[in-house]
């Protein structure tokens, strides 16, 4: 499967339509940067200010796995936006 920033944005928009994500007031995809990474040590990550979601092409060999990782990173975005503590989340990049 070949990921692109555009396909990641489309996955993000899909995730936003599903409960409970649809109730969280998440930013539009135009307000989020999407990148395909070569991470070998993680599936993806989320970074705030600006919002950036990256998925690794090494971890996304099919659409189901890519959507699972996207949903996971969107959850971290929602936690960040609400100021919730997310222990053991060293893949949220804050610096």
């Amino acid at each position: 499967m070949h990921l692109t920033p555009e396909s990641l944005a489309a996955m993000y928009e899909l995730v936003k339509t599903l409960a409970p994500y649809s109730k969280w007031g998440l930013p539009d995809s135009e307000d989020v940067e999407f990148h395909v990474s070569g991470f070998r040590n993680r599936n993806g990550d989320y970074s705030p200010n600006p919002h950036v979601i990256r998925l690794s092409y090494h971890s996304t060999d099919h659409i189901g796995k890519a959507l699972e990782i996207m949903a996971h990173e969107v959850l971290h975005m929602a936690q960040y936006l609400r100021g919730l503590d997310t222990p053991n989340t060293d893949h949220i990049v804050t610096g």
Side-chain angles (χ1 to χ4, degrees):
M1 186 166 100
H2 178 72
L3 294 176
T4 65
E6 293 79 17
S7 63
L8 295 181
M11 283 187 254
Y12 173 81
E13 286 296 333
L14 172 62
V15 167
K16 280 181 47 181
T17 69
L18 305 172
Y21 302 91
S22 60
K23 300 175 183 177
W24 294 345
L26 297 165
D28 292 330
S29 59
E30 294 82 23
D31 298 323
V32 180
E33 293 179 30
F34 298 95
H35 300 280
V36 179
S37 78
F39 294 143
R40 290 188 180 272
N41 62 337
R42 64 181 77 166
N43 296 328
D45 67 11
Y46 163 70
S47 177
N49 302 317
H51 299 296
V52 178
I53 294 177
R54 297 183 293 186
L55 271 64
S56 173
Y57 63 81
H58 291 291
S59 304
T60 51
D61 55 347
H62 58 85
I63 188 68
K65 185 64 176 177
L67 283 168
E68 177 185 341
I69 296 166
M70 178 61 71
H72 177 90
E73 298 309 330
V74 173
L75 176 62
H76 287 303
M77 175 191 284
Q79 290 173 317
Y80 173 80
L81 290 170
R82 284 164 181 68
L84 300 174
D85 185 26
T86 56
N88 302 316
T89 53
D90 61 350
H91 62 287
I92 297 178
V93 181
T94 57

